[in-house]
Amino acid sequence: EPHPPVVPSSPLPSKTCDVVPAERPRSCCGMAVAGLRTAKYHLPEWHRLNAGVCYEAYTAGEQAERGRAEAKHLVKHAAASAQRAQGYSKATLGQRLQDIHFWRVELQKEIMELDAETNLLAAQKLRLERALDATEVPYSVVIDNLECRERRQPPDLVIDEVEKQLMKEVDLIRDIRDLLKRTIIQAATQIRSNRIQKENCELDWSDKVETYNIDDKCIGYCSDSTDVQYHPSSVKFEENASTPKSWAQFSHDNISRAEQEKLASVQLRSLINNIIHDASEDLRVQRAAVNEAFDSHCRELDDAKLRLENHLQQILKDIGDEEANIVNLKKAIRDKEAFLKVAHTRLYDRSFRPNVELCRDEPQFRLVSEVEELTVFLEALKRKLMESEQNLKNLEETRMKLEKEIAVKANSIFIDRQKCMGYRVRYPVDLEVASYQ
C-alpha cells in the first residue's frame, strides 16, 4: 500500500528576550520586603514565558492540524484500501467458485457416467449368470446321452465317433462354464471397483458442494452484513491445508482413476460380449457335429441292421433248403438201404445152393458188385447227411447270432435315435439368446 503523504514541519520564529543584569531593580527596603520580591517575575521573564506559551500553543496547533490531515488522508486511504482488498477478495472468491463449479460439474459428470457404466456392466454380469444357467441343460443332456449309450450291448459298446464328439462336447461345456464363472468373478470385482471409485468421486463432489456453498455464502458478506463478527483465531493457515495445486490434483486424480475404471469396465463388457458370442458359436458348432455324428451312426446302424436282416432272410431260406436236403438224403439212404437189403437177401439165399450149384456165376459177381456199389453210395450219403446236419446246425447258430445282432442293432438304434437324439431336442437353440432371457 502507498504511504500517506507527510506534511513537512516548518520551524517557528524564535523570540529571545535579553535581560540586562544592571537594570534589575535594586532592593531598597532591605529584609522587610525580601519575601514580596522573591515571589514575583520580572517583566522580561513574563514576556519570555508568554512567548513560550504562545510558541507551544502554535506548535500544538500545527501538530494537531498536521495529525488531522494525516488522519483524514489515512481514513480515506484505509477506506479505499479496504474497498480494494474486499473487492479483490470477492473477485478471488468468485474465481474460486468458478474453479469449484468446474470440478464439481466434472465430478458429477464422471459420477453419472461411471454409474451408467456400472449398470451396463451389471447387466452384462446378469447375462453371464443367465448364460451359465443356460449351460446346465446342455450339460445334463450330454451326460444323459453318455449314460444312455453305456447301456448299449456288445459288440456295439464301442468308442465310436459319436462317443468322441460327446466327450468333446462335455469338455467344451465344462471349459465354457469355467470361463463364465471366472468372468462373473472378474465382472463382480470390476463392479466393486467402479462403486468404490464412484464413492470416492461422490465424497469429493459432496466436499465441493459444501465448499461451494460456504464460499458462495462468504462472497455475499459485506461491511453492512449483520452476521459478521471477529474471529481472530481463524487468521492463520491450517497445517493440514492443501495447496491449490494439490487441491486440483486431487480431483484430477479421482477423475483420472474413474476414467481408468470406466475404460476397464467398457473393455470388460466388450470381452463379455465376445465370450458369450464365441461360447454360443462353439456350442452350436459342436452340437451340429454331435447331431451329424448321431445321424451318420444311426444310418450306419440302419444299414448294418438291414444287411443283417437280409442275411437272416437268406439264412432262413438256407435252413429250409438244408432241412429239405436232409429229408431227401434220409429218403435216399432209406431207398438205398432197401436195395442193399434186396441184394444181401439174394446173396444170402444163393449161399444155400447145394453142392456144385454153389457156383461163382455171373449173377453172383453182379450181386457182389451191386452190394459194394450200394455200400459206397450209402456211406457217401451218410457222410453227406452228417455234413448237411452240421451245416444245418451252423445255419441255426448263425441265425441266432444274426437275430441277436439285429436285436443289438435295434437296441443301439433305439438308444441313439429315440433316447439320445430325442432328448437332445431340449438343447437350447442359442446360448447368446438364452443370456437375454
Side-chain angles (χ1 to χ4, degrees):
E1 295 294 337
H3 296 284
V6 180
V7 179
S9 60
S10 58
L12 295 175
S14 62
K15 183 177 181 182
T16 306
C17 296
D18 297 331
V19 180
V20 181
E23 293 179 357
R24 182 179 296 272
R26 297 179 178 272
S27 177
C28 61
C29 295
M31 293 301 294
V33 293
L36 296 176
R37 290 198 306 270
T38 56
K40 297 179 180 178
Y41 292 93
H42 295 287
L43 185 60
E45 291 177 345
W46 179 80
H47 285 293
R48 190 169 58 251
L49 289 175
N50 287 336
V53 170
C54 290
Y55 180 75
E56 290 178 359
Y58 178 78
T59 303
E62 289 289 332
Q63 186 175 1
E65 184 180 1
R66 187 169 56 251
R68 287 194 302 273
E70 292 176 357
K72 182 178 179 181
H73 181 77
L74 181 59
V75 167
K76 183 178 179 181
H77 177 72
S81 179
Q83 289 292 336
R84 286 196 306 272
Q86 192 177 77
Y88 182 73
S89 297
K90 189 173 183 179
T92 55
L93 283 172
Q95 182 63 39
R96 184 65 172 175
L97 284 175
Q98 292 180 3
D99 295 340
I100 295 173
H101 177 71
F102 169 77
W103 287 112
R104 184 183 65 178
V105 171
E106 291 295 323
L107 286 169
Q108 186 175 4
K109 177 183 175 183
E110 197 64 34
I111 289 169
M112 295 176 64
E113 291 179 355
L114 193 58
D115 184 64
E117 178 59 34
T118 303
N119 293 333
L120 293 175
L121 185 58
Q124 291 293 83
K125 178 175 174 287
L126 182 60
R127 285 188 62 201
L128 286 172
E129 293 171 349
R130 289 174 176 172
L132 180 62
D133 294 337
T135 57
E136 290 288 346
V137 175
Y139 188 72
S140 63
V141 168
V142 176
I143 295 299
D144 181 78
N145 290 162
L146 290 173
E147 291 176 352
C148 287
R149 298 189 94 244
E150 288 295 323
R151 296 194 290 270
R152 292 176 299 167
Q153 299 175 2
D156 283 1
L157 189 61
V158 295
I159 302 178
D160 52 5
E161 184 64 24
V162 177
E163 191 88 5
K164 295 177 182 179
Q165 292 297 331
L166 285 174
M167 293 303 297
K168 287 177 62 177
E169 192 171 26
V170 169
D171 294 338
L172 176 63
I173 294 175
R174 286 174 179 171
D175 293 340
I176 289 175
R177 288 175 60 83
D178 292 340
L179 178 60
L180 291 177
K181 289 178 181 178
R182 291 196 304 271
T183 311
I184 288 173
I185 295 174
Q186 186 177 356
T189 303
Q190 185 61 48
I191 289 174
R192 185 165 56 251
S193 300
N194 288 355
R195 289 173 177 170
I196 290 174
Q197 192 55 42
K198 175 175 171 285
E199 183 179 356
N200 293 335
C201 291
E202 286 176 343
L203 290 175
D204 193 6
W205 177 83
S206 63
D207 292 342
K208 293 290 187 296
V209 171
E210 185 177 358
T211 303
Y212 186 89
N213 293 333
I214 291 173
D215 284 353
D216 187 57
K217 181 181 178 182
C218 290
I219 204 172
Y221 287 142
C222 63
S223 301
D224 298 332
S225 299
T226 58
D227 53 348
V228 294
Q229 57 183 343
Y230 287 110
H231 295 282
S233 61
S234 63
V235 189
K236 63 178 181 179
F237 290 106
E238 299 292 338
E239 294 181 358
N240 58 348
S242 61
T243 62
K245 183 178 180 180
S246 63
W247 172 82
Q249 188 65 36
F250 180 78
S251 297
H252 180 271
D253 291 342
N254 282 333
I255 293 176
S256 178
R257 286 191 292 268
E259 287 288 339
Q260 292 176 0
E261 296 297 340
K262 185 171 66 175
L263 180 60
S265 180
V266 171
Q267 293 175 350
L268 182 58
R269 283 197 297 111
S270 177
L271 177 63
I272 290 173
N273 280 330
N274 294 334
I275 287 175
I276 294 177
H277 176 74
D278 294 343
S280 176
E281 185 66 19
D282 292 342
L283 279 179
R284 187 190 64 79
V285 171
Q286 185 59 33
R287 181 190 62 186
V290 172
N291 291 339
E292 179 63 27
F294 266 118
D295 291 336
S296 176
H297 188 62
C298 287
R299 288 193 299 270
E300 292 177 356
L301 289 174
D302 288 335
D303 294 340
K305 182 171 176 290
L306 182 60
R307 288 195 301 270
L308 290 174
E309 289 174 347
N310 293 333
H311 283 295
L312 179 61
Q313 294 295 329
Q314 183 64 37
I315 290 297
L316 291 176
K317 181 181 178 182
D318 292 340
I319 288 174
D321 294 341
E322 197 65 35
E323 288 176 346
N325 183 42
I326 290 173
V327 171
N328 292 330
L329 286 173
K330 287 181 178 180
K331 184 177 181 300
I333 290 173
R334 288 194 301 270
D335 292 341
K336 297 301 181 289
E337 286 177 347
F339 283 100
L340 183 60
K341 287 178 182 179
V342 171
H344 279 179
T345 302
R346 286 175 177 175
L347 288 172
Y348 179 75
D349 289 342
R350 295 188 86 237
S351 65
F352 290 103
R353 288 176 297 170
N355 299 323
V356 138
E357 293 299 327
L358 188 62
C359 177
R360 298 178 180 176
D361 52 4
E362 184 64 24
Q364 185 72 19
F365 284 109
R366 185 60 204 160
L367 286 173
V368 171
S369 175
E370 182 183 1
V371 169
E372 292 176 353
E373 184 178 353
L374 289 174
T375 301
V376 171
F377 280 117
L378 279 174
E379 289 178 355
L381 288 174
K382 288 180 179 179
R383 284 197 303 271
K384 184 57 68 177
L385 178 61
M386 291 178 63
E387 291 178 2
S388 297
E389 289 177 346
Q390 184 64 38
N391 290 336
L392 180 60
K393 184 179 179 180
N394 294 335
L395 288 173
E396 290 290 342
E397 291 178 354
T398 303
R399 178 184 63 82
M400 289 187 292
K401 289 180 180 180
L402 288 174
E403 290 176 349
K404 182 180 179 180
E405 286 296 324
I406 291 172
V408 169
K409 295 297 183 292
N411 179 66
S412 299
I413 292 172
F414 174 77
I415 289 175
D416 285 352
R417 181 168 290 162
Q418 303 297 327
K419 299 291 290 184
C420 294
M421 296 187 69
Y423 193 55
R424 289 183 69 84
V425 176
R426 297 179 54 192
Y427 208 103
V429 177
D430 193 349
L431 185 62
E432 188 172 5
V433 176
S435 65
Y436 288 104
Q437 299 175 351

